């Protein structure tokens, strides 16, 4: 399992949005001001089918929100955020920081810890981080403390990613950053608002999701891995042509049942076109809304000097 979180960049928009402390790679925090105006109003059930860091679902008004993602560690962490008090989470993170002697750049600059712009606090924290990682990988049960340790590893890990090997061990190396004031404020705000929301968290394959309980006032938003990109979540055939077609068939069925949906995707990327997606749109006469997405921080744009993607939102209404 490999998922990327960029904890330093919040949404760049013209309004106020609740920012996730887990800004997923390819997440929509930066374009919420483009997405949300296309969403329907008066939603009874909002389904965030590939929720990631929950940037979209946290900012959609609905009577009930269903977050779903196949990453069990992610869903487990989100559930822990919802059931624990924000002050308790902050306190436990700080206790781990003190116990292992991690850096605190909120109090001192990088130079204080022997680092700079390039290395940050990675050298200072490396051995401490490996010790915490070993604790996590040998932790006996998935209780609240398990997820506190996981989130602390994300905070201090390389590029703030979460990655598990085939043995189920967290195997990411140390990163340049630590638990600064900006991230803490974002975490508290997210947790406090999450508790106010009428929501549930699921970890299901999208094909096993129960859509039968939805009504004509429900709304399904999909932000799946993009078939023609090579983002970290889509390496080694992580998202296949079959996955793509299965999802499109599900969306067709929703449309037949008068349930509104919106699908985020790219039609073109670095000279490639998603022909099956284009034909599906044309065959069903769905609406295509072009968006601007800055992929400056995304791994799958590293080889490009500039973005060459046609980001779109596809709707059946």
């Amino acid at each position: 399992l490999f998922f990327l979180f960029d904890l330093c960049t919040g949404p760049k928009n013209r309004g106020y949005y609740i920012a996730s402390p887990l800004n997923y790679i390819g997440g929509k925090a930066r374009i919420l001001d483009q997405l949300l105006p296309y969403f329907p109003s008066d939603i009874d059930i909002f389904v965030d089918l590939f929720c990631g860091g929950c940037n979209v679902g946290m900012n959609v008004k609905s009577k009930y929100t269903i977050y779903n993602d196949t990453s069990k560690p992610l869903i487990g962490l989100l559930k822990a955020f919802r059931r624990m008090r924000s002050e308790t989470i902050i306190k436990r993170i700080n206790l781990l920081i003190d116990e292992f002697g991690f850096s605190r750049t909120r109090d001192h600059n990088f130079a204080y810890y022997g680092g700079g712009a390039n290395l940050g606090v990675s050298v200072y924290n490396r051995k401490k981080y490996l010790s915490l990682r070993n604790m996590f990988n040998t932790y006996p049960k998935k209780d609240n403390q398990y997820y506190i340790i996981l989130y602390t590893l994300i905070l201090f890990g390389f590029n703030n990613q979460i990655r598990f090997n085939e043995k189920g061990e967290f195997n990411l190396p140390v990163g340049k950053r630590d638990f600064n004031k900006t991230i803490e404020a974002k975490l508290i705000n997210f947790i406090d608002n999450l508790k106010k929301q009428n929501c549930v968290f699921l970890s299901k394959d999208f094909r096993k999701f129960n859509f039968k309980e939805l009504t004509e006032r429900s709304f399904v938003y999909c932000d799946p891995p993009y078939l023609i990109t090579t983002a970290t979540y889509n390496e080694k055939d992580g998202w296949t042509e079959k996955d793509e077609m299965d999802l499109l068939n599900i969306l067709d069925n929703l449309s037949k049942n008068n349930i509104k949906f919106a699908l985020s995707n790219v039609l073109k990327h670095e000279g490639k076109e998603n022909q099956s997606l284009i034909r599906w749109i044309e065959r069903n006469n769905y609406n295509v809304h072009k968006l601007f997405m800055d992929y400056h921080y995304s791994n799958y744009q590293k080889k490009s000097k500039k973005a060459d993607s046609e980001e779109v939102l596809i709707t059946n209404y």
Side-chain angles (χ1 to χ4, degrees):
L1 296 173
F2 188 100
F3 304 92
L4 171 64
F5 302 99
D6 180 355
L7 299 182
C8 284
T9 52
K12 298 176 182 178
N13 50 60
R14 293 184 293 272
Y16 170 77
Y17 298 112
I18 300 163
S20 170
L22 302 171
N23 288 333
Y24 239 60
I25 182 170
K28 298 301 182 282
R30 295 184 185 90
I31 59 168
L32 285 173
D33 61 324
Q34 297 181 61
L35 281 177
L36 298 187
Y38 289 117
F39 287 10
S41 57
D42 193 27
I43 302 169
D44 60 354
I45 303 173
F46 176 73
V47 179
D48 201 344
L49 197 58
F50 303 83
C51 70
C54 303
N55 276 297
V56 176
M58 281 295 293
N59 292 283
V60 172
K61 292 182 179 180
S62 64
K63 292 183 178 179
Y64 186 62
T65 298
I66 302 175
Y67 293 103
N68 182 72
D69 201 283
T70 55
S71 171
K72 294 186 184 301
L74 168 68
I75 293 299
L77 180 59
L78 291 167
K79 287 181 176 179
F81 283 165
R82 193 165 194 268
R83 68 175 171 260
M84 297 180 70
R85 299 175 62 183
S86 57
E87 54 264 40
T88 300
I89 294 173
I90 300 301
K91 180 180 179 180
R92 289 200 186 184
I93 292 171
N94 283 318
L95 284 173
L96 283 174
I97 290 172
D98 290 340
E99 179 182 349
F100 286 83
F102 283 110
S103 63
R104 286 186 178 275
T105 55
R106 66 175 64 202
D107 300 323
H108 306 283
N109 58 25
F110 285 161
Y112 180 87
Y113 296 103
N118 292 328
L119 292 176
V121 289
S122 60
V123 174
Y124 181 85
N125 286 328
R126 182 172 292 117
K127 290 184 178 179
K128 306 168 181 63
Y129 180 83
L130 292 176
S131 295
L132 180 65
R133 193 178 71 180
N134 182 64
M135 173 193 278
F136 177 78
N137 287 330
T138 56
Y139 201 78
K141 56 183 178 179
K142 295 181 180 178
D143 56 7
N144 286 344
Q145 187 63 13
Y146 173 92
Y147 291 106
I148 294 295
I149 299 171
L150 174 58
Y151 187 63
T152 305
L153 286 173
I154 294 170
L155 290 169
F156 287 86
F158 178 73
N159 282 347
N160 304 123
Q161 298 170 8
I162 173 173
R163 186 179 69 189
F164 292 81
N165 61 24
E166 293 179 356
K167 296 180 181 180
E169 299 170 330
F170 190 92
N171 65 345
L172 210 69
V174 71
K176 301 178 181 180
R177 305 164 183 164
D178 62 12
F179 189 40
N180 59 48
K181 292 180 180 179
T182 300
I183 298 172
E184 179 177 323
K186 186 184 295 186
L187 176 63
I188 292 172
N189 187 53
F190 179 83
I191 292 171
D192 290 349
N193 280 282
L194 188 62
K195 292 181 183 299
K196 298 175 184 177
Q197 191 178 52
N198 184 19
C199 65
V200 66
F201 290 94
L202 305 177
S203 185
K204 294 175 179 273
D205 182 288
F206 67 90
R207 283 163 286 238
K208 296 180 180 179
F209 188 91
N210 183 14
F211 295 97
K212 293 180 180 180
E213 296 181 357
L214 303 184
T215 74
E216 292 186 7
R217 288 177 50 218
S218 299
F219 179 55
V220 178
Y221 173 67
C222 302
D223 185 22
Y226 296 164
L227 186 64
I228 59 174
T229 69
T230 54
T232 52
Y233 53 63
N234 199 22
E235 293 174 341
K236 299 179 181 179
D237 297 322
W239 182 261
T240 66
E241 182 77 31
K242 182 182 184 305
D243 294 325
E244 186 93 341
M245 298 312 298
D246 285 347
L247 177 60
L248 299 185
N249 287 333
I250 286 173
L251 296 180
D252 283 339
N253 286 330
L254 290 176
S255 198
K256 289 176 183 178
N257 287 286
N258 297 316
I259 297 172
K260 295 183 176 67
F261 73 75
L263 169 66
S264 284
N265 218 302
V266 290
L267 300 181
K268 300 177 182 178
H269 179 73
E270 295 187 350
K272 294 182 289 184
E273 289 188 350
N274 190 333
Q275 289 294 336
S276 58
L277 182 63
I278 293 171
R279 288 193 296 269
W280 174 74
I281 294 169
E282 293 174 347
R283 184 169 62 250
N284 293 281
N285 197 30
Y286 291 139
N287 295 309
V288 178
H289 314 279
K290 292 186 178 181
L291 309 172
F292 173 76
M293 182 67 174
D294 182 5
Y295 285 102
H296 177 69
Y297 295 98
S298 298
N299 278 2
Y300 61 80
Q301 283 286 353
K302 281 187 175 180
K303 295 181 180 178
S304 301
K305 293 184 179 179
K306 61 180 181 179
D308 183 26
S309 292
E310 187 176 336
E311 182 92 8
V312 295
L313 183 72
I314 303 160
T315 64
N316 65 337
Y317 55 90

